[in-house]
């Protein structure tokens, strides 16, 4: 009897794990598709074959993460393989004064399109979209536990 109960519990755990992986994959896949359509809509003059990363930096949220991402922008804004999107902007004037925007590879997302699909607990972190042949292949979040910007 104990073996049957244990077997049923194992099956339930396996089914739950597989179901969560499928839901996670489909959710991530739909987010990638959403970003792919945004890239096609917003980056019409950008050579997508050269593009490897899109870094989305919210103007409000995790203070340390955003400050780190803004410093990353200042040090990397001339790279041709990166495009930057500032979103959740509190003040355009302050952003222009603090950041010295480079318009060739920076987009100001005043309608917050680049974060509207994300869950609320994720929109406070900078986001890195990994691009391959103009398509989003992977999404990572900069956070206190994941310093993804240091890997680029």
């Amino acid at each position: 009897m104990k073996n049957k109960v244990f077997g049923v519990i194992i099956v339930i755990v396996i089914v739950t794990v597989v179901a969560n992986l499928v839901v996670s994959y489909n959710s991530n896949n739909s987010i990638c598709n959403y970003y792919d359509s945004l890239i096609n809509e917003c980056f019409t003059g950008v050579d997508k074959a050269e593009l490897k990363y899109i870094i989305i930096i919210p103007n409000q949220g995790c203070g340390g993460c955003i400050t780190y991402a803004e410093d990353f922008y200042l040090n990397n804004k001339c790279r041709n393989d990166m495009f930057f999107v500032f979103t959740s902007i509190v003040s355009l004037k302050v952003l222009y004064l603090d950041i010295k925007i480079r318009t060739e590879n920076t987009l100001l997302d005043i309608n917050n399109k680049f974060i509207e699909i994300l869950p609320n607990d994720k929109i406070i972190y900078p986001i890195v979209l990994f691009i391959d042949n103009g398509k989003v292949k992977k999404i990572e979040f900069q956070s206190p536990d994941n310093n993804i910007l240091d890997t680029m």
Side-chain angles (χ1 to χ4, degrees):
M1 181 70 169
K2 282 184 180 180
N3 285 342
K4 282 186 177 182
V5 171
F6 184 70
V8 169
I9 290 173
I10 297 251
V11 169
I12 290 172
V13 168
I14 291 172
V15 168
T16 303
V17 168
V18 170
N20 284 335
L21 288 173
V22 169
V23 168
S24 175
Y25 172 78
N26 288 336
S27 174
N28 193 35
N29 199 23
S30 65
I31 292 173
C32 288
N33 290 339
Y34 175 82
Y35 280 122
D36 286 341
S37 66
L38 265 182
I39 290 167
N40 287 331
E41 175 187 333
C42 298
F43 300 155
T44 54
V46 176
D47 180 8
K48 295 176 192 91
E50 194 173 313
L51 192 60
K52 292 184 182 175
Y53 310 101
I54 296 174
I55 296 94
I56 304 167
I57 305 171
N59 198 220
Q60 52 186 337
C62 176
C65 300
I66 293 169
T67 299
Y68 194 86
E70 289 173 344
D71 288 342
F72 182 85
Y73 173 78
L74 292 171
N75 293 323
N76 293 280
K77 63 184 176 182
C78 292
R79 285 181 56 175
N80 293 329
D81 64 339
M82 292 185 175
F83 205 94
F84 297 87
V85 177
F86 285 91
T87 190
S88 193
I89 300 168
V90 176
S91 167
L92 283 172
K93 182 178 179 181
V94 171
L95 185 64
Y96 273 110
L97 290 172
D98 288 349
I99 303 296
K100 313 283 189 286
I101 300 295
R102 181 177 185 258
T103 57
E104 292 84 359
N105 68 336
T106 306
L107 176 73
L108 301 178
D109 177 26
I110 57 174
N111 295 321
N112 299 325
K113 286 183 172 186
F114 282 83
I115 58 170
E116 70 183 12
I117 193 171
L118 300 174
N120 286 337
D121 65 330
K122 295 294 188 184
I123 64 174
I124 63 170
Y125 298 112
I127 306 153
V128 178
L129 306 178
F130 292 82
I131 310 297
D132 185 29
N133 292 321
K135 300 281 186 195
V136 177
K137 295 300 176 195
K138 184 168 84 167
I139 301 170
E140 294 242 5
F141 295 87
Q142 173 80 13
S143 72
D145 299 327
N146 186 21
N147 197 1
I148 192 66
L149 295 175
D150 278 351
T151 65
M152 298 187 299

